[in-house]
Amino acid sequence: MRLLLAEDDPRIAAHVRRALEAAGYLVDLAADGEEALFRGETEAYALVVLDLGLPRMDGLAVLKRWRAEGRHMPVLVLTARGAWSERVEGIDAGADDYLPKPFRVEELLARVRALVRRSAGIGSPVIEAGRLALDTRLKEVRLDGVPVALSALEWRFLSVLAHRRGEVVPVGEIVEQLYGDDDARDANAVEALVARLRRKLGADAVETRRGLGYALPAAPSPA
Ligand code: CA
């Protein structure tokens, strides 16, 4: 899944980005408020991590603009330590959760997972779809209970579909969530990825709707 990280402190940005990427997300970075605003208006993100203290345009103003424009992606705001009024303002402006600095990156990851899940209407950190179970905490996929080794890209693909299980996800959206701005990637790359996954997980693991997109089954297979 594709996330936007808006953070001007290069050390925090690099640290958080590394952790998010290791957790399987594709991360775009914005180092100021104007860039964050623009990216949030033009790209589809599964979630935004938004520092409130940003140059050029502060995070609160960015968030208010997005919400006024009807953009509903989940937003986790990063606030200064002890600044309770910032937190109140952030939540009132439409933030879904907040994290005061300094924070442990493990906590940020847990909050990101929970927000992405909640926005997909999924309660459990283990998402079941057909014979597959995706454990979002361990970044592990199990087929009939047995863990399967997957590449980062394969995980990201299944994660996008699992968060919308039972729904056909259009190829264009999948390409964006997997590759971001990389123009060289297209539907053919996704098709090749699905072919690899079918070899690992069985022919019926991922449903293809010709010309439309891909889907995972809505519910676990009956035992
Ligand atoms: Ca800052």
Side-chain angles (χ1 to χ4, degrees):
M1 264 180 254
R2 192 179 181 198
L3 310 187
L4 176 64
L5 169 62
E7 169 63 67
D8 60 312
D9 181 321
R11 263 189 40 240
I12 298 177
H15 180 54
V16 170
R17 178 183 209 162
R18 240 189 338 266
L20 287 169
E21 285 177 348
Y25 301 102
L26 177 67
V27 181
D28 288 351
L29 185 63
D32 67 64
E34 281 179 9
E35 194 191 346
L37 177 71
F38 175 74
R39 285 195 161 269
E41 286 177 338
T42 51
E43 306 289 340
Y45 293 108
L47 176 136
V48 179
V49 178
L50 179 66
D51 180 30
L52 289 188
L54 290 175
R56 293 170 75 92
M57 183 173 183
D58 74 78
L60 209 55
V62 172
L63 179 57
K64 284 179 179 163
R65 272 277 280 282
W66 283 338
R67 295 313 192 214
E69 292 164 353
R71 296 177 204 287
H72 298 302
M73 66 285 205
V75 173
L76 169 64
V77 296
L78 305 178
T79 67
R81 182 163 54 128
W84 64 268
S85 59
E86 255 194 1
R87 297 202 286 277
V88 172
E89 274 190 287
I91 290 165
D92 280 345
D96 300 275
D97 199 0
Y98 69 85
L99 197 55
K101 290 178 176 177
F103 51 81
R104 297 281 314 192
V105 79
E106 291 82 0
E107 183 175 0
L108 178 124
L109 290 175
R111 288 177 184 275
V112 165
R113 283 193 298 270
L115 282 179
V116 168
R117 255 188 358 244
R118 212 183 300 155
S119 77
I122 292 169
S124 162
V126 180
I127 308 174
E128 296 190 45
R131 295 162 60 203
L132 299 180
L134 274 80
D135 190 324
T136 58
R137 293 161 308 187
L138 302 174
K139 210 175 112 187
E140 181 177 274
V141 171
R142 296 187 285 271
L143 174 66
D144 296 328
V146 180
V148 182
L150 297 178
S151 71
L153 205 58
E154 290 164 350
W155 164 262
R156 204 181 293 154
F157 173 84
L158 288 177
S159 182
V160 168
L161 263 60
H163 281 85
R164 293 168 64 177
R165 62 190 168 171
E167 215 182 294
V168 179
V169 184
V171 178
E173 269 181 57
I174 294 174
V175 170
E176 259 197 35
Q177 294 294 324
L178 292 188
Y179 306 110
D181 291 332
D182 183 354
D183 291 332
R185 306 304 190 131
D186 57 15
N188 293 327
V190 177
E191 209 176 300
L193 182 67
V194 171
R196 281 205 303 279
L197 277 170
R198 290 214 170 101
R199 283 196 291 275
K200 289 185 180 182
L201 303 172
D204 58 349
V206 181
E207 297 168 22
T208 304
R209 307 285 166 79
R210 276 282 154 231
L212 294 175
Y214 297 93
L216 289 188
S221 310

